[in-house]
Amino acid sequence: MSDIDDVIRRGIHQRLDALQVPTEGRAATARSDLRRSRGRRVLTAATVAALVAGAAAAVYLLSGRQTDQVPEPARHLRVVRTLSASSLGLAKPEAAAIGPNGKLYITDSVHQTVTEATTSGRVVRTWGGDGARPGRFRLAEGGRIAVDQQGRVYVADSGNGRVQVFTSSGKFIRQMGSFGGRAGQFVYPTAIAVGPDGSVYLSDDSRTALTKLSPNGDQEWRLGGPRGTGAPPDLVGHTHFGSLDSHGRLVVANDDTSRIVYLSPQGEEVDAFGHGKTSGHASDFPEGACDTTVDSGNYVYVTGCIPTKETGNLIQIYDPSHRLVGAWPHSPMITAPRFGPRGLAVSVGYGSILELAVDR
């Protein structure tokens, strides 16, 4: 193992110590994070310092009129309001979603909380805190949040290996899943999406597995795992997602294969597009495909894995026929937009939350 690998591995285990992740779950998580650190552009110390310094910068709202001077995409998206993370009481915004009530729900991986806020920046309430009890979190990098059509809030509590479900006002409802490797258990859950019937789709980044849970929390199916059990080739690897299309298909990005995959409610691959770099073909996703969502018109939004000097944070937009119709290099967004009512959407920047709207 190289000196660089050793430094990476020590950093991973320091993070797991801080999260109090059980020993039996550490090997898979460490291997996953180490794999991600290889073969990707290494951020310089200056770049990292700049990112950290901007960690409390802003929350961008994208809908309605433009009010801030930020880079504009080629088409489709625009920023209309900036909310500073500090004004919302946030230390490190990790993920965000919009409920049917139009409220923002934001996770903070430093304070270990969920904050509900209006789009104008008024904090409604905050709940959570560090811990493993119901209503407490050990949120870590990649842990996402989703809101269903009834306004229930679902948090991928990554450090505790579970999903927690709350009312729109933050009252704990139930836990789905627990830490472990059996059916309905998870090691490091990250991506989450909720179907119209209340089914929950969850990606376990450490086990490279994608699981569907019933509305009651029972496992309906699982694809992948350490040996890729039951997963089609397009889904063998680390998967990311945030929503279903209007046909009820989960739209998944695989950052190992640079493929965007559509899954039926039964877990069958029904469509796919995109290719990674080969000897005769440039990658369709120059920064990889590390997050994806789909809007009400079935347009797909893909964000890259590591920003480059040439493109910064790149987001690419594809129409329902998989044709690239928009690209936004050097965007303020890290995550793909999560869509809400009235054409609003929300995303996360460095220490910020972005709410988005679509122009077509």
Side-chain angles (χ1 to χ4, degrees):
M1 183 170 61
S2 70
D3 291 341
I4 293 175
D5 285 352
D6 187 50
V7 169
I8 294 168
R9 195 178 300 277
R10 286 201 306 271
I12 292 166
H13 283 285
Q14 286 171 0
R15 185 192 70 186
L16 297 176
D17 284 336
L19 292 171
Q20 297 181 22
V21 173
T23 302
E24 61 269 25
R26 297 184 176 207
T29 300
R31 284 194 299 271
S32 170
D33 283 9
L34 184 60
R35 180 200 64 82
R36 289 175 177 278
S37 301
R38 293 170 172 161
R40 299 280 175 86
R41 179 177 293 270
V42 177
L43 298 180
T44 66
T47 302
V48 171
L51 298 182
V52 171
V59 174
Y60 300 92
L61 300 178
L62 296 90
S63 176
R65 62 189 181 85
Q66 170 122 13
T67 62
D68 295 284
Q69 298 300 315
V70 295
E72 286 288 357
R75 59 175 76 179
H76 295 294
L77 292 176
R78 54 193 169 92
V79 175
V80 298
R81 188 183 297 140
T82 302
L83 302 177
S84 71
S86 60
S87 72
L88 298 173
L90 302 172
K92 187 180 184 298
E94 189 65 42
I98 301 182
N101 58 2
K103 298 293 198 319
L104 308 179
Y105 294 90
I106 308 158
T107 57
D108 187 323
S109 60
V110 171
H111 294 154
Q112 300 297 326
T113 54
V114 174
T115 294
E116 178 188 352
T118 66
T119 55
S120 63
R122 180 177 64 86
V123 174
V124 178
R125 61 178 58 85
T126 296
W127 71 87
D130 182 76
R133 300 196 310 271
R136 298 274 179 163
F137 306 106
R138 289 197 174 123
L139 303 167
E141 183 179 356
R144 302 296 190 223
I145 186 170
V147 185
D148 70 14
Q149 295 177 352
Q150 286 70 47
R152 291 181 291 256
V153 180
Y154 297 72
V155 180
D157 188 4
S158 46
N160 284 319
R162 64 188 179 186
V163 174
Q164 295 197 68
V165 188
F166 302 88
T167 67
S168 59
S169 59
K171 181 181 179 182
F172 177 80
I173 299 175
R174 65 180 179 274
Q175 172 179 318
M176 304 174 79
S178 60
F179 182 88
R182 297 182 179 180
Q185 292 186 315
F186 308 93
V187 174
Y188 194 77
T190 52
I192 187 170
V194 184
D197 64 346
S199 296
V200 175
Y201 298 84
L202 201 66
S203 176
D204 190 329
D205 198 67
S206 287
R207 295 180 58 82
T208 61
L210 196 163
T211 300
K212 181 183 180 181
L213 302 176
S214 72
N216 295 325
D218 299 322
Q219 180 175 310
E220 292 194 5
W221 47 257
R222 172 171 286 172
L223 302 175
R227 296 179 178 85
T229 307
D234 284 342
L235 283 177
V236 175
H238 295 80
T239 56
H240 315 272
F241 48 83
S243 55
L244 286 72
D245 69 8
S246 65
H247 305 293
R249 304 177 299 182
L250 182 69
V251 182
V252 181
N254 185 334
D255 74 76
D256 293 89
T257 63
S258 290
R259 293 282 278 171
I260 306 300
V261 183
Y262 294 72
L263 286 181
S264 73
Q266 294 74 39
E268 299 169 340
E269 180 179 340
V270 294
D271 199 0
F273 70 92
H275 296 278
K277 182 179 180 180
T278 64
S279 58
H281 188 280
S283 174
D284 292 327
F285 310 107
E287 298 176 2
C290 268
D291 196 20
T292 189
T293 50
V294 58
D295 68 17
S296 60
N298 292 326
Y299 281 66
V300 174
Y301 301 74
V302 183
T303 56
C305 300
I306 298 293
T308 66
K309 180 180 179 181
E310 292 77 16
T311 60
N313 290 325
L314 176 66
I315 183 165
Q316 296 168 270
I317 306 165
Y318 295 82
D319 69 12
S321 65
H322 314 326
R323 181 173 61 95
L324 180 66
V325 295
W328 191 353
H330 302 286
S331 85
M333 294 179 284
I334 297 174
T335 64
R338 269 60 179 167
F339 293 91
R342 300 184 297 278
L344 297 174
V346 66
S347 178
V348 175
Y350 287 111
S352 64
I353 306 300
L354 321 169
E355 193 183 297
L356 317 166
V358 176
D359 294 325
R360 277 201 278 276

